Amino acid sequence: MASTTFLIALFVVIAMVAVPAMATDHWVGDDQGWKLDFNYTAWAATKEFHVGDKLIFKYKKDAHNVYKADQAAFKSCTPSNDITPLTSGNDVIPLTTTGKKWYICGVGKHCEKGMKVAINVLPELGSPSPSPSSPNGPTPSTASWIAPNSKVVALIAAAFAMFVVIMT
């Protein structure tokens, strides 16, 4: 029995360290999609975006589009002439770098009516965060990255349950 408990504990520790973080597909606007009369600022405030995640813009083709914008274009609702809009109605944008990202609809006055979204992309889950330089105190522990998201916890719990069933 002690060896079984040890194996279970070892399995859990290995799973927490070795299981890669799972990327998330963010459907912009959730079940409402990319449309007029939706508060994308409030929507984005409820999400956490990471490198490796994807933004998915769902909308009726030819009714809307998606332009990647910079902060100035976002504020002025003026898409850049040197950027080609996405127009498929099912546009998938992989989030490959950290930082602020801005997207707008370039059809008519849609952007001015609120059809724009700004997000902040964080480092990939499971990757160490850069340590801030602090002349007045110690740097954070390098183990601080071990903060699994809910999908990782669910995967570990499922694997643990299967392991217990197999062992009994």
Side-chain angles (χ1 to χ4, degrees):
M1 183 67 177
S3 64
T4 302
T5 304
F6 173 77
L7 286 174
I8 291 171
L10 181 63
F11 176 80
V12 170
V13 170
I14 290 170
M16 289 181 69
V17 174
V19 173
M22 301 170 104
T24 300
D25 291 346
H26 298 281
W27 294 60
V28 177
D30 293 327
D31 61 342
Q32 297 294 309
W34 187 233
K35 65 177 207 151
L36 290 167
D37 301 319
F38 187 86
N39 186 338
Y40 292 100
T41 301
W43 173 83
T46 67
K47 310 292 182 214
E48 191 170 277
F49 305 93
H50 293 272
V51 169
D53 291 354
K54 294 176 189 164
L55 286 183
I56 302 172
F57 289 84
K58 289 278 208 182
Y59 55 93
K60 185 177 177 191
K61 188 176 173 151
D62 300 324
H64 305 293
N65 60 30
V66 180
Y67 277 91
K68 184 169 179 17
D70 59 18
Q71 187 174 20
F74 181 81
K75 285 183 178 181
S76 68
C77 284
T78 308
S80 174
N81 290 333
D82 59 342
I83 295 180
T84 303
L86 302 173
T87 59
S88 74
N90 186 30
D91 304 321
V92 179
I93 300 173
L95 301 176
T96 59
T97 60
T98 59
K100 289 288 258 180
K101 312 290 181 205
W102 300 272
Y103 302 93
I104 63 175
C105 180
V107 173
K109 298 285 183 190
H110 292 188
C111 179
E112 288 89 342
K113 293 179 179 178
M115 208 168 161
K116 59 184 184 175
V117 63
I119 65 170
N120 185 39
V121 180
L122 302 170
E124 185 174 2
L125 281 172
S127 66
S129 301
S131 298
S133 57
S134 174
N136 299 326
T139 57
S141 164
T142 55
S144 64
W145 66 270
I146 304 175
N149 68 12
S150 60
K151 289 181 180 177
V152 172
V153 171
L155 181 62
I156 292 169
F160 178 76
M162 288 187 338
F163 182 78
V164 169
V165 168
I166 292 168
M167 295 302 290
T168 56

